Amino acid sequence: MAAAATPPGATTVIEARNVEAWLRPLPIAALHQVGPATATKLRTYGLHTIGDIADAPVPTLVRLFGAATGRSLHAHANGQDLRTVQPQPIPKSLSAERTFAHDVLDPAQHRKTLLDLTEELGARLRDDQQAAGNLTLLVRYADRTISTRSRTLTEPTAHTRPLTTSAHELYDLLGLQRARVRAISLRAQNLRPAVQATQQLTLDPADDRALAVEAVTDRARARYGPGTLRPAALATTRTRTPPGTGRTRARPAAADS
């Protein structure tokens, strides 16, 4: 707000003790979070300056705009903002890609790759304390053509389960049948700090289990490195040589989660 009120080449300094005096006379439209519709509604109830909002009872603002918005308006009008300051700009997107050694026609393998990608993206988002608001799927074929599908997520998230569900839905929209796929990539876009993301509560026990497993996986990854725990669907095979023999045999790798 100070930058918006400062002409080019000038500097505005607002000391903590002067914040309230600087804010109060400003019009309501200058306040963060107040758009044209909100400003019109505030004026309808006789609130024309930021000082008017600061003096308005919180229950009144809550009744007019809902609990979260009402309390936020009142806090901002009093010079309080609990959002985390980002010292570095948040990247606009995060991407993950898998390129196959040969053309892959099997839809089951495509879906397994999508799970691998969402596992990676989810972990990176949570490590960076970010949430994605949009997911884009890109599929590259043997002839180098590309299909793209994108969607805005129901709610911003960094959790693997909803990212995987959305990725599979985007894949289904392509309607691939025996397609010769050479590479699959996912891009998480419209990133924002995780503290600004809301999560709709559900009554599905599977969601609770997935979040619990995810928390354990994150702790293991932070301590022992990436790939310590993985979904069973991503388990691979490895070979071992039985003691006292020259033969090797393959056995499934243990599924960690």
Side-chain angles (χ1 to χ4, degrees):
M1 292 175 62
T6 303
T11 301
T12 298
V13 178
I14 305 171
E15 297 183 1
R17 65 176 182 273
N18 298 326
V19 169
E20 183 178 352
W22 186 82
L23 281 174
R24 290 185 66 86
L26 296 177
I28 55 176
L31 187 65
H32 170 73
Q33 195 180 1
V34 175
T38 302
T40 299
K41 190 170 185 178
L42 287 167
R43 295 190 191 99
T44 301
Y45 288 91
L47 306 177
H48 299 278
T49 67
I50 293 178
D52 293 336
I53 300 176
D55 294 337
V58 173
T60 300
L61 296 173
V62 169
R63 186 170 61 253
L64 294 176
F65 299 100
T69 302
R71 293 191 180 97
S72 180
L73 283 171
H74 189 267
H76 290 167
N78 283 280
Q80 302 167 5
D81 192 341
L82 300 180
R83 292 176 301 164
T84 302
V85 175
Q86 299 293 328
Q88 300 293 333
I90 296 177
K92 295 182 179 179
S93 65
L94 288 177
S95 298
E97 180 174 330
R98 298 291 182 272
T99 300
F100 304 118
H102 53 80
D103 300 340
V104 176
L105 288 73
D106 185 5
Q109 182 62 35
H110 299 163
R111 289 179 174 275
K112 182 177 179 180
T113 301
L114 288 173
L115 174 58
D116 191 24
L117 291 170
T118 53
E119 281 280 319
E120 177 184 334
L121 279 182
R124 291 169 60 189
L125 287 168
R126 294 190 298 276
D127 287 347
D128 293 343
Q129 298 183 7
Q130 297 177 18
N134 181 278
L135 193 65
T136 298
L137 168 67
L138 296 92
V139 176
R140 179 159 54 87
Y141 306 104
D143 61 1
R144 298 187 179 182
T145 59
I146 296 176
S147 293
T148 304
R149 292 293 184 274
S150 180
R151 79 166 30 170
T152 298
L153 303 178
T154 304
E155 56 188 19
T157 187
H159 297 299
T160 300
R161 182 181 173 91
L163 289 174
T164 303
T165 299
S166 296
H168 285 169
E169 291 173 350
L170 290 172
Y171 175 81
D172 291 339
L173 291 175
L174 294 176
L176 301 183
Q177 295 182 357
R178 303 290 293 174
R180 298 171 60 194
V181 175
R182 182 60 59 86
I184 299 177
S185 65
L186 280 176
R187 184 165 60 240
Q189 300 169 292
N190 191 17
L191 305 187
R192 66 201 65 189
V195 294
Q196 297 182 16
T198 59
Q199 182 178 353
Q200 181 67 40
L201 297 177
T202 70
L203 299 179
D204 186 355
D207 287 339
D208 294 335
R209 288 195 297 270
L211 292 175
V213 170
E214 185 177 270
V216 172
T217 302
D218 286 345
R219 290 195 296 270
R221 179 167 44 80
R223 184 169 183 177
Y224 300 109
T228 304
L229 296 177
R230 307 196 73 193
L234 297 179
T236 57
T237 59
R238 60 181 178 228
T239 60
R240 67 183 179 90
T241 303
T245 70
R247 300 178 181 177
T248 62
R249 61 186 178 187
R251 65 182 181 89
D256 300 296
S257 64

